[in-house]
Amino acid sequence: AWYWNTITMGEHTGTHFDAPVHWITGKDLPDNRCDTIPARRFIGPACVIDCTSEVAKNEDFILTPGHIETWEKAHGRVPKGAWVLMRTGWSRRIDPARFLNVRADGPHSPGFHKSASELLANERHVLGVGVETVGTDAGQAGTFDPPFPNHTTMHGAGKFGLASLRNLDQLPATGAIVIAAPLKLVGGSGSPLRVLAITS
């Protein structure tokens, strides 16, 4: 008389949410898990920074504070409580090997410079950042100082990450509202997501 499926997967599968407890720097913060974060913190205005031309030239492109400041000159200051979304065109890589882009020295994909993450977390007070790649750090971020600086900075400041986003090319630079509510997993460090963006 009914139909259902049983699913088994990791919290950080597909398009997904990173809670602060996902990283060691956020492990002791209050309200740092999927089931304890207030629901109001999943909704915010979107600031879409288009880096597609830079990434087309350099798969290891790193977003710096200068790129953010250039975007702000055109679109206004990133508001408190915003989702900052890095548009790279990476989601067009539908072949798994091209999407992960792993070579002998590890994966190669764009990401954030440590100073850009610090600016967004500590001076703009964003909700978090979103990317089209498999994670919110660059592919080579394991070699950075500190390793994985976006995870280290954002989650240490109680901020969030959205990974493997799609359709950022359909959003304006400003004016959209993003809803990114994870499953209410008890003690969850993250969750698969269906991210919604509302535009006028």
Side-chain angles (χ1 to χ4, degrees):
W2 57 80
Y3 170 80
W4 69 9
N5 297 292
T6 298
I7 59 173
T8 302
M9 67 179 72
E11 293 172 327
H12 302 266
T13 297
T15 300
H16 66 271
F17 178 91
D18 291 346
V21 74
H22 174 50
W23 216 249
I24 190 169
T25 51
K27 72 181 183 66
D28 296 321
L29 297 177
D31 297 328
N32 64 352
R33 301 166 190 265
C34 288
D35 59 321
T36 62
I37 299 167
R40 68 179 180 276
R41 297 194 63 206
F42 302 134
I43 304 169
C47 296
V48 182
I49 301 179
D50 186 358
C51 308
T52 50
S53 61
E54 292 89 345
V55 172
K57 298 171 188 171
N58 177 14
E59 294 177 331
D60 295 309
F61 170 77
I62 301 297
L63 186 78
T64 67
H67 295 108
I68 296 169
E69 290 161 1
T70 297
W71 184 92
E72 289 183 323
K73 287 177 184 175
H75 305 289
R77 185 179 172 95
V78 172
K80 181 178 179 180
W83 288 109
V84 173
L85 309 178
M86 187 175 172
R87 178 183 163 200
T88 59
W90 206 263
S91 62
R92 292 195 295 264
R93 295 176 174 235
I94 57 175
D95 173 67
R98 287 198 71 235
F99 182 75
L100 295 175
N101 205 33
V102 179
R103 300 181 201 145
D105 61 347
H108 290 263
S109 59
F112 295 87
H113 191 275
K114 174 188 174 185
S115 56
S117 299
E118 290 171 342
L119 172 69
L120 293 173
N122 303 323
E123 296 183 37
R124 300 301 185 266
H125 306 288
V126 299
L127 284 178
V129 298
V131 297
E132 295 176 81
T133 52
V134 71
T136 59
D137 267 295
Q140 289 287 293
T143 67
F144 294 179
D145 183 20
F148 306 102
N150 188 72
H151 281 77
T152 299
T153 300
M154 283 287 162
H155 299 320
K159 311 301 183 183
F160 314 133
L162 306 176
S164 299
L165 295 173
R166 295 181 61 86
N167 300 318
L168 294 186
D169 58 325
Q170 297 182 33
L171 297 184
T174 63
I177 300 295
V178 164
I179 304 168
L183 298 170
K184 200 171 183 179
L185 302 173
V186 175
S189 70
S191 164
L193 283 178
R194 187 171 188 181
V195 181
L196 303 177
I198 301 171
T199 61
S200 56

